[in-house]
């Protein structure tokens, strides 16, 4: 029996925090626990102040002391407290206590919830601004299983008290959205910033799960975070779940490939395999600590001004099927991507790219917004422990362009030579000559036009997936039979 959560006109505009908390409190069916670690009990404070909390709040607690927290939730293997694993333990433990202490016979219509956060705010030296995990495990039907919304945030403010207040606002928005906006997950994401500014907080990971979110693809939710300006980059793993970039990239050697992957071709995979073979042979590179990232920029996702979400999902499914970790970013310039990676690692990094991409890097027009122009950008790009692996380009006259004969603007020649002679630019030499004429745009046009022969240009298994899932507008006899 699903309890109806009615909407009404007074809540059509952005409700105040007090209104949100009060609406939850006055719903006789919502009942649960608040467990907050690291920044005080900032979320539950809004619900206590709103009034009518006695029917909603079963318990509010903050196991602030580490030993006490371990005694309640268990010891983490890595000894850390601000982690997703710790948050999940908190949510599960508190829901377990509610179910144990309240019988369904006595409370048949109660929709239980557990809200939790584990955060660290800015340090005394103000060098590390802090971050945290926030989540809610809850029912919208007392007879059905629980749903979860779990997110990771980064604080941007330089004052611990302000960060605490920001956390309380976000928590209130999350609980309200979980109960009253769950049918529109994309809108729920935007509403998390009610009464907040993007200069206060960054949300870089979010995952929805449970029966009411069965049709939600978390990769699409990741895209919304970047699209809405909530974060500059998001990452998802081969299984399709969003993952915390910091966890994946921390202290790793990183090899990144940027592309449209529309669709992923044999050239993309050859570039990956050849550059990877060269990268792991480098000094300071440990294969077991190497992370490969396939990156798609937001500008690459805008086909005709607007982002085509179906097109994005088609690309995501293909890359995941090939076992790749995918980064969606708002970094149009390469130096911004390298700066982003540098937040998480000081280890050697590699970029694999085609010759045409390298020519763009040496085009001054992309750096006019920087006070130091192209020199500032190159300082940020090549000052890091970085190497660029260059994949050759096949020309119409049958010749090959590589780092030895590539043409850059005359003003850039000496700068180019400097990086070339210092080993920052390296040619991929052991490449497959038979596939150099394969381009994603050609394959895509053949698919949409219903031409034959495109299958041979793609990695093994990819064409089969495109046909089975009708990706990129591919129509087969099977497609028409299903209709």
């Amino acid at each position: 029996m699903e309890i109806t959560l009615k909407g009404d006109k007074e809540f059509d505009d952005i409700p105040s925090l007090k209104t949100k908390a009060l609406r939850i409190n006055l719903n006789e069916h919502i009942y649960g626990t608040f467990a907050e670690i690291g920044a005080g009990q900032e979320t539950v404070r809004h619900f206590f102040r709103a009034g009518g909390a006695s029917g909603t709040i079963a318990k509010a607690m903050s196991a602030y002391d580490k030993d006490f927290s371990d005694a309640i939730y268990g010891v983490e293997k890595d000894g850390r407290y601000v982690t997703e694993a710790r948050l999940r333990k908190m949510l599960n433990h508190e829901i377990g206590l509610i179910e144990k202490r309240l019988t369904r016979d006595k409370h048949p219509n109660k929709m239980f919830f557990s809200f939790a956060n584990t955060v660290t705010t800015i340090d005394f030296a103000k060098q590390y601004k802090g971050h945290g995990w926030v989540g809610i495990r809850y029912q919208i039907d007392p007879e059905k299983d629980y749903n979860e919304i779990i997110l990771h945030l980064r604080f941007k403010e330089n004052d611990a008290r302000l960060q605490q207040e920001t956390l309380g606002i976000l928590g209130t928005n999350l609980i309200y959205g979980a109960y009253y906006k769950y049918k529109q997950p994309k809108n729920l994401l935007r509403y998390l910033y009610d009464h907040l500014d993007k200069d206060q907080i960054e949300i870089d990971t979010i995952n929805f799960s449970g029966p009411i979110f069965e049709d939600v693809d978390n990769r699409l939710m990741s895209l919304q975070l970047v699209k809405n300006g909530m974060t500059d980059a998001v990452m998802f793993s081969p299984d399709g779940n969003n993952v915390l970039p910091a966890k994946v990239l921390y202290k790793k050697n990183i090899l990144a490939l940027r592309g449209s992957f529309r669709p992923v071709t044999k050239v993309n995979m050859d570039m990956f395999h050849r550059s990877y073979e060269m990268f792991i042979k480098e000094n300071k590179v440990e294969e077991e600590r190497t992370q490969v990232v396939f990156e798609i920029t937001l500008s690459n996702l805008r086909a005709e001004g607007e982002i085509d979400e179906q097109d994005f999902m088609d690309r995501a499914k293909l890359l995941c099927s090939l076992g790749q970790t995918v980064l969606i970013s708002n970094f149009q310039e390469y130096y911004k991507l390298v700066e982003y990676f540098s937040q998480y690692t000081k280890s050697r990094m590699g970029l694999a790219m085609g010759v045409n991409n390298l020519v763009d890097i040496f085009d001054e027009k992309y750096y006019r917004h920087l006070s130091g122009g192209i020199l500032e950008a190159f300082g940020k790009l090549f000052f890091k422990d970085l190497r660029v692996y260059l994949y050759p380009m096949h020309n119409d006259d049958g010749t090959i362009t590589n780092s030895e004969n590539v043409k850059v603007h005359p003003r850039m020649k000496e700068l180019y030579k400097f990086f070339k002679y210092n080993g920052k630019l390296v040619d991929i030499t052991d490449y497959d000559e038979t596939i150099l004429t394969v381009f994603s745009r050609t394959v895509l046009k053949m698919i949409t036009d219903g031409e034959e022969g495109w299958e041979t240009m793609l990695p093994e298994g990819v064409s089969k997936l495109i046909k089975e899932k009708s990706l990129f507008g591919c129509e087969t006899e099977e497609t028409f039979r299903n209709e």
Side-chain angles (χ1 to χ4, degrees):
M1 176 191 71
E2 182 174 343
I3 306 298
T4 303
L5 298 168
K6 294 179 180 177
D8 45 41
K9 265 198 167 179
E10 70 176 288
F11 297 107
D12 285 347
D13 297 324
I14 296 177
S16 67
L17 292 169
K18 181 179 179 181
T19 301
K20 286 187 175 187
L22 186 60
R23 190 177 183 193
I24 294 288
N25 284 349
L26 295 181
N27 189 312
E28 60 181 327
H29 304 298
I30 300 175
Y31 189 79
T33 295
F34 291 76
E36 304 184 72
I37 297 177
Q41 295 183 285
E42 295 303 316
T43 301
V44 77
R45 182 165 56 91
H46 287 284
F47 290 83
F48 278 131
R49 286 182 172 180
S54 59
T56 297
I57 302 173
K59 179 181 71 176
M61 67 172 296
S62 179
Y64 198 82
D65 179 78
K66 290 180 178 179
D67 291 335
F68 208 85
S69 181
D70 286 343
I72 297 172
Y73 302 117
V75 179
E76 301 297 327
K77 289 181 182 179
D78 57 9
R80 296 163 62 212
Y81 293 86
V82 185
T83 64
E84 183 180 6
R86 180 52 127 208
L87 180 76
R88 289 187 180 278
K89 282 184 180 179
M90 293 168 70
L91 293 172
N92 292 337
H93 178 82
E94 299 302 337
I95 282 292
L97 288 181
I98 294 175
E99 291 183 333
K100 184 178 178 182
R101 292 169 180 172
L102 293 184
T103 64
R104 277 296 178 196
D105 293 339
K106 189 175 180 182
H107 304 278
N109 296 328
K110 289 291 186 187
M111 299 182 295
F112 296 146
F113 77 88
S114 172
F115 170 84
N117 62 53
T118 173
V119 303
T120 176
T121 52
I122 194 167
D123 64 348
F124 185 75
K126 298 189 184 296
Q127 292 182 336
Y128 182 70
K129 288 190 176 179
H131 71 112
W133 287 91
V134 181
I136 182 170
R137 193 161 194 254
Y138 70 109
Q139 296 173 298
I140 55 103
D141 185 331
E143 296 176 0
K144 291 185 179 177
D145 203 359
Y146 289 90
N147 309 284
E148 276 187 355
I149 307 173
I150 290 178
L151 62 89
H152 180 266
L153 61 89
R154 293 189 178 281
F155 293 112
K156 293 186 176 182
E157 294 162 306
N158 291 315
D159 180 84
R161 183 181 61 81
L162 293 177
Q163 290 183 353
Q164 290 171 338
E165 291 175 359
T166 294
L167 180 66
I169 295 169
L170 178 74
T172 305
N173 288 339
L174 176 61
I175 295 170
Y176 181 81
Y179 276 106
Y180 293 105
K181 302 295 179 183
Y182 67 87
K183 291 181 180 178
Q184 300 171 305
K186 289 181 189 176
N187 291 341
L188 191 157
L189 277 182
R190 293 206 312 274
Y191 298 148
L192 291 176
Y193 277 83
D194 285 356
H195 311 292
L196 289 173
D197 191 273
K198 287 162 189 171
D199 291 335
Q200 294 174 269
I201 200 168
E202 171 188 352
I203 299 173
D204 58 4
T205 304
I206 194 163
N207 278 304
F208 295 80
S209 60
I212 62 173
F213 299 124
E214 278 181 345
D215 297 329
V216 172
D217 192 303
N218 283 310
R219 291 170 293 196
L220 199 53
M221 294 301 106
S222 263
L223 176 62
Q224 303 304 315
L225 292 179
V226 183
K227 185 179 173 182
N228 295 339
M230 297 176 181
T231 188
D232 285 324
V234 292
M235 183 177 282
F236 51 84
S237 58
D239 63 9
N241 280 320
N242 298 334
V243 289
L244 183 64
K247 184 177 180 181
V248 176
L249 302 174
Y250 186 64
K251 290 186 176 180
K252 297 284 183 68
N253 293 115
I254 302 168
L255 177 64
L257 295 86
R258 170 177 287 185
S260 64
F261 308 115
R262 191 175 183 243
V264 58
T265 66
K266 282 184 176 179
V267 169
N268 298 135
M269 297 312 293
D270 192 48
M271 187 188 301
F272 155 55
H273 289 301
R274 304 308 177 192
S275 60
Y276 181 79
E277 288 167 5
M278 296 172 70
F279 186 59
I280 59 174
K281 290 176 184 175
E282 297 273 5
N283 292 331
K284 303 180 186 177
V285 174
E286 302 173 45
E287 186 172 6
E288 64 276 8
R289 291 193 60 78
T290 294
Q291 178 63 51
V292 176
V293 177
F294 278 62
E295 186 231 7
I296 306 175
T297 65
L298 211 60
S299 57
N300 244 329
L301 290 172
R302 290 192 174 99
E304 296 174 0
E306 285 298 316
I307 292 174
D308 185 334
E309 293 182 352
Q310 184 56 54
D311 182 80
F312 161 74
M313 287 307 303
D314 292 349
R315 300 190 226 185
K317 287 171 185 173
L318 289 184
L319 289 171
C320 287
S321 74
L322 293 169
Q324 301 304 328
T325 298
V326 180
L327 184 79
I328 307 297
S329 85
N330 200 24
F331 309 129
Q332 193 162 355
E333 299 89 357
Y334 272 103
Y335 77 86
K336 289 183 179 178
L337 177 65
V338 173
E339 275 193 313
Y340 175 76
F341 289 150
S342 299
Q343 295 178 86
Y344 307 117
T345 185
K346 289 181 170 55
S347 302
R348 176 159 291 180
M349 292 178 276
L351 293 177
M353 66 178 70
V355 170
N356 55 328
N357 296 114
L358 183 71
V359 172
D360 285 342
I361 285 180
F362 280 86
D363 192 331
E364 290 180 281
K365 71 181 181 184
Y366 294 111
Y367 312 107
R368 286 171 185 157
H369 62 288
L370 295 176
S371 58
I374 194 169
L375 290 178
E376 180 181 341
F378 277 24
K380 293 177 177 179
L381 180 63
F382 288 112
F383 178 73
K384 311 294 181 186
D385 193 357
L386 174 79
R387 188 153 289 171
V388 173
Y389 299 94
L390 204 59
Y391 198 80
M393 181 171 67
H394 185 273
N395 303 311
D396 293 338
D397 61 3
T399 58
I400 299 293
T401 301
N402 56 25
S403 72
E404 298 294 338
N405 59 1
V406 63
K407 289 182 172 59
V408 297
H409 194 281
R411 284 200 302 270
M412 296 295 109
K413 273 187 178 180
E414 295 306 315
L415 191 60
Y416 174 80
K417 286 179 184 178
F418 173 79
F419 293 119
K420 167 74 175 162
Y421 293 150
N422 280 280
K424 294 290 188 180
L425 304 172
V426 184
D427 280 313
I428 296 173
T429 54
D430 187 20
Y431 56 88
D432 185 350
E433 293 184 29
T434 65
I435 60 173
L436 287 184
T437 54
V438 172
F439 297 98
S440 289
R441 60 180 179 273
T442 304
V443 177
L444 185 64
K445 189 173 188 307
M446 291 176 73
I447 292 173
T448 53
D449 291 350
E451 292 183 38
E452 296 181 355
W454 54 268
E455 295 90 343
T456 59
M457 302 179 187
L458 307 183
E460 187 177 349
V462 170
S463 60
K464 182 182 178 184
L465 189 63
I466 288 175
K467 291 177 180 178
E468 286 178 352
K469 304 290 186 182
S470 299
L471 306 182
F472 303 109
C474 179
E475 294 182 344
T476 62
E477 290 184 15
E478 186 67 28
T479 305
F480 293 117
R481 278 202 295 273
N482 290 337
E483 288 178 355

